[in-house]
Amino acid sequence: MSVERADVERIAELARLRLGDAELDRFTVQLNGILAHMDQLAELDAEAAEAESQAAPEAGAPLRADTVGPDALRRPPSEIATDWKHGFFVVPRLAAQDRLAEGGDASGLEGADDDA
Amino acid sequence: MTPDVFKRSLDEIAQSVAAGETTASALLDVVEREQARWEGGEIPLHAFLSFGGDNARAAAQTVDASTPTPKARGPKPLLGVPVAIKDNLCTLDYPTTCGSRILEGYVSPYSATAVERLEAAGAVLVGHTNMDEFGMGSSCEASAYGPTRNPWDLARVPGGSSGGSAAAVAARLVPLALGSDTGGSVRQPAALCGVAGLKPTYGRVSRYGLVAFASSLDQIGPLAGSVGDVALALEIIAGQDPLDATSSAVPSGDYAASARQGGGLDGVRAGVPRQLAVDRLEPDVRGDWERSLARLEELGVRLVEVDVPALEAATAVYYVLANSEASANLARFDGVRYGRRSRDASTLTELYHRSRSEGFGAEVKRRILLGTFALSSGYHEAYYDRAAAVARALGRELAAALEGTDVLLSPASPSAAFRLGERSDPLTMYLSDVYTVPANLAGLPAVAVPSGVSAEGLPLSLQLVGRAFDEARLLRVAAAFEAAADFRRPMLPVAPTQAPPEAPV
C-alpha cells in the first residue's frame, strides 16, 4: 500500500491538520516507508482474524451508580480556558455566520458544517 | 547531606525521615543542589520541564510539620521521599504539557490518581520530567522543549518516552519517578539509563489523570534504582479506582515483600521466544543477553524455548493500533477549551487547523496521520481491524507460552543508548520498541532490570514479562536476577568531558 501526496492532504484534512508543502512531501515519503512495514499484516494467517476480546474479561469490574455529580476538577474550567464568558468557552465565529450576516447563503462555506 | 542518600532504598530514606535523622526539606535541598549541578554543566541534563518551586517546598514543609515518629512512617511508606512525575501525569497546580507546545501554559486543575496516591504515602513531588511529545518517541528527542540527555553519556539519548524520569533516577536527582508505558516508554528508557522500570498489567494502575496516548495500551509505571523500590512504588499506586473504568478489581499484592523474598529460583521456568531474532542484536547486547540467561540458570531457572509466531508482526500491529487510538485521543487538542490557541484563526475550522498544526510537533503529526489513515473508510479493515485481530492472536500465544512458564525473557532493548540525532528515520526509531510492545499489546506486566554494560560503558538490561496480575512472581524473579547480576550504578560525574554534540533539528 502506498499513498500519494493528495492522499496525505486528504488525511490531514480529516485530522484537522494544515500541512505546508515541505511537510506534505516529507510526510508522504515517511508514511510510505512506514506503511510498507505495516503491510506485513496483510500476509498473516487469516485465522488470526477471528473475533475475540483482547483482554480476558475482568471478573467483577464493578459498575458505578448511574448518578450525576460534580466533576472532579479542583479548579474551575474558567481558570484553564483560553476565553471564557458566562459559563461558556468562547471561540471564533463560524465563517457561515459572517456570510449570513452579510445576507449571503451559508451552505457550502468553510465551517458551514461545523457544530458550534 | 550528599546525593549518596539516594543510593539508599526508598524504605531506608522514609525511615530516616520518620526517625528524625533527616527531613523532607533537607532531602529537597539535596535534589535542588544536584539539579543545579546537572543543569550547570557544559551540556545540561534537562531531565525536568518544571522543577521545584513553591509547590515542592510547601509539600516538604507539610511533611516536616507532622511530628516525625516511627509511627508516622507506618501509613506513609514514602515519607519525605522526593519523587519526579512524567509531564503527562496531571498534577494539581503544576504545568502539565506532555512535552508539547499545544499544552504550553496549561496548569492542571486536578491530580492523577497515581500522583495522589504517592502524595498520600508521604512523597514530595519535586517536578515534572521531560518526555517525547505525548509519549510518542523512544529517545526523548521529540520533546518540544529540547531533548533530555543520558547521564551515562550526555551525547546520547536517555530513551523514551519517559526519558526525563529515567535520567532523573539514573543521575540520582530523585530515587523514584513515575513514567508511562504504551509501547515500552518506561522499560526502554530504564534500560538505556541503567535503572529498573516496570509496566504493570493493563488495569493494575489507574489511568485517571494520565493524558491518553493509546487508551487500550497505556499504563503508568515506576522507575527506581532497584526492583525492590519499583515494587514498593507499585504497591502504593496500584489498585482499583472508581475514576478509571478500566482499572481492575483484582486485588493488588504485597509486591515489596515479594521482591524481598530472595532465595533461589529452583523450579522457575523462563520462556525464551524463538522469534526474538537475537542473531541480529549488536554484539554487546547479545553477549549480555547470553550472560543473563546463564545467570538465571545458575539461580535454578529452567529455560524453555517457546513459540510466539505473532511476535514478528508486533511492531507493525502496535504502530497501527497505537497511532489509531492516538489520532482519536489527540482530537481533543483543538484550541477550544485549554492549551494553545492560534491567534490567527478567524473561523472555528481555522482555529482547529492552525492550533493543531502550530502546536503539534512532527512526530505527533506523523502518528496522527498514520492513525487517521488506518481508521479511514476503505482502509480500516486492512489496517486497524487486521492489526486488532493479530494483537488478539499475539495475546493468545503469549498466554499459552506463559501457561507452561512463569516468566518470558528478552533483551529490554535491541541496542544500548544511541547518539542524539543518530536515528532520524522514523521507522528505524520505531523498531527500538521491538521487544517491549508485545507486553502492551497483550496487557501483560513487564520489567526491565539492568544486567550489564556494553564495551562503551553503557547500561544493558534484561526484560522479564509475567502473567497478567502476577506482578508478585514477576518482581520476585526480577529481584533475584538483579541480585545475581550485581549491576553497579556509579555516582556519575558532574562535568562530563564529551564535546557538545550537534543538537538534532
Side-chain angles (χ1 to χ4, degrees):
Chain A
M1 176 70 213
S2 64
V3 292
E4 306 287 336
R5 195 176 191 270
D7 298 316
V8 179
E9 268 188 287
R10 179 181 64 83
I11 297 163
E13 178 57 39
L14 287 173
R16 297 291 190 260
L17 291 172
R18 180 162 295 172
L19 304 178
D21 286 337
E23 281 180 305
L24 277 168
D25 290 338
R26 189 165 59 244
F27 284 138
T28 303
V29 170
Q30 291 172 345
L31 260 58
N32 278 318
I34 297 164
L35 288 172
H37 177 68
M38 290 175 177
D39 281 342
Q40 64 181 286
L41 295 176
E43 298 161 15
L44 294 172
D45 190 344
E47 188 185 323
E50 72 183 82
E52 185 179 320
S53 64
Q54 177 192 7
E58 280 301 311
L63 300 176
R64 62 176 174 84
D66 186 15
T67 53
V68 176
D71 60 43
L73 299 183
R74 301 260 295 274
R75 304 277 181 259
S78 56
E79 287 191 20
I80 59 169
T82 309
D83 197 358
W84 175 271
K85 205 174 284 181
H86 307 309
F88 291 92
F89 294 97
V90 180
V91 295
R93 301 165 67 80
L94 298 176
Q97 290 170 317
D98 290 332
R99 184 57 66 95
L100 281 174
E102 292 164 10
D105 180 1
S107 63
L109 293 175
E110 180 199 24
D113 295 328
D114 286 332
D115 291 328
Chain B
M1 203 184 331
T2 73
D4 275 4
V5 65
F6 297 144
K7 288 168 94 170
R8 301 159 76 184
S9 71
L10 298 177
D11 193 54
E12 287 169 340
I13 296 170
Q15 280 189 19
S16 69
V17 174
E21 293 163 5
T22 185
T23 64
S25 297
L27 290 171
L28 183 58
D29 289 342
V30 174
V31 179
E32 288 180 347
R33 274 202 311 273
E34 287 301 290
Q35 166 71 353
R37 238 168 34 112
W38 279 99
E39 294 307 294
E42 195 175 352
I43 306 169
L45 182 66
H46 193 43
F48 285 93
L49 291 181
S50 59
F51 177 77
D54 295 342
N55 288 340
R57 195 50 69 177
Q61 286 163 354
T62 300
V63 168
D64 291 336
S66 64
T67 309
T69 65
K71 250 194 212 168
R73 164 79 178 78
K76 292 185 185 283
L78 294 182
L79 190 69
V81 174
V83 301
I85 305 293
K86 187 177 181 181
D87 198 36
N88 61 352
L89 282 157
C90 291
T91 308
L92 180 65
D93 296 336
Y94 258 87
T96 303
T97 72
C98 303
S100 180
R101 293 283 178 206
I102 210 164
L103 283 175
E104 195 169 17
Y106 174 75
V107 177
S108 181
Y110 73 107
S111 283
T113 298
V115 172
E116 289 193 332
R117 287 181 178 177
L118 286 185
E119 290 180 306
V124 172
L125 271 56
V126 303
H128 271 204
T129 53
N130 199 13
M131 56 181 286
D132 288 299
E133 191 179 356
F134 285 108
M136 299 177 182
S138 305
S139 67
C140 222
E141 293 173 289
S143 167
Y145 300 98
T148 296
R149 305 305 181 105
N150 192 314
W152 292 73
D153 179 346
L154 295 175
R156 294 178 188 262
V157 303
S161 60
S162 309
S165 287
V169 174
R172 299 191 199 276
L173 287 167
V174 290
L176 173 66
L178 287 188
S180 69
D181 192 311
T182 304
S185 289
V186 162
R187 292 161 285 153
Q188 187 257 20
L192 269 54
C193 288
V195 301
L198 170 76
K199 182 202 85 69
T201 306
Y202 183 81
R204 179 72 292 173
V205 177
S206 168
R207 292 182 301 111
Y208 182 75
L210 169 64
V211 178
F213 165 6
S215 310
S216 77
L217 305 173
D218 295 341
Q219 269 293 277
I220 296 168
L223 299 94
S226 70
V227 173
D229 281 353
V230 159
L232 176 59
L234 176 66
E235 208 172 294
I236 291 163
I237 63 176
Q240 195 181 30
D241 178 15
L243 293 171
D244 175 9
T246 65
S247 70
S248 175
V250 172
S252 59
D254 191 350
Y255 302 121
S258 298
R260 278 195 305 267
Q261 211 172 327
L265 297 176
D266 282 333
V268 169
R269 299 150 301 166
V272 179
R274 189 171 297 132
Q275 289 79 10
L276 286 182
V278 294
D279 53 326
R280 283 187 253 161
L281 291 173
E282 293 177 1
D284 284 355
V285 178
R286 181 159 187 189
D288 185 71
W289 160 248
E290 290 168 352
R291 277 190 297 277
S292 296
L293 295 182
R295 274 198 198 99
L296 285 166
E297 286 186 301
E298 287 166 15
L299 288 171
V301 170
R302 188 159 66 87
L303 301 178
V304 178
E305 189 178 65
V306 294
D307 199 23
V308 189
L311 214 55
E312 290 169 342
T315 47
V317 168
Y318 171 78
Y319 277 100
V320 169
L321 295 181
N323 292 337
S324 296
E325 294 189 26
S327 70
N329 279 325
L330 269 62
R332 71 193 65 184
F333 300 107
D334 55 12
V336 172
R337 288 158 296 164
Y338 44 72
R340 184 193 188 105
R341 175 186 286 197
S342 175
R343 298 177 186 283
D344 300 326
S346 55
T347 69
L348 188 60
T349 304
E350 210 177 345
L351 178 72
Y352 299 152
H353 280 105
R354 286 186 181 273
S355 299
R356 289 165 64 77
S357 303
E358 292 166 12
F360 289 142
E363 183 60 42
V364 169
K365 288 178 186 173
R366 185 163 38 243
R367 296 198 190 199
I368 289 174
L369 291 170
L370 278 165
T372 305
F373 173 75
L375 289 172
S376 64
S377 173
Y379 296 104
H380 69 80
E381 294 94 348
Y383 286 95
Y384 183 83
D385 295 354
R386 180 151 277 265
V390 178
R392 288 191 290 272
L394 176 63
R396 287 195 298 273
E397 290 174 10
L398 287 170
L402 282 164
E403 275 178 18
T405 61
D406 300 290
V407 294
L408 300 177
L409 304 175
S410 76
S413 167
S415 74
F418 44 91
R419 295 182 181 279
L420 270 80
E422 185 178 306
R423 297 194 180 174
S424 54
D425 170 51
L427 184 59
T428 307
M429 187 70 82
Y430 296 169
L431 294 175
S432 302
D433 302 334
V434 60
Y435 294 126
T436 49
V437 300
N440 298 89
L441 293 170
L444 299 173
V447 62
V449 183
S451 51
V453 290
S454 71
E456 291 170 300
L458 300 168
L460 300 168
S461 289
L462 178 72
Q463 177 181 244
L464 301 92
V465 180
R467 298 178 192 160
F469 299 105
D470 199 10
E471 278 86 344
R473 186 194 317 246
L474 175 68
L475 292 166
R476 183 175 87 81
V477 176
F481 170 77
E482 177 188 59
D486 197 27
F487 176 86
R488 299 284 174 161
R489 188 155 55 97
M491 291 303 290
L492 298 166
V494 169
T497 55
Q498 299 90 350
E502 290 292 316
V505 173

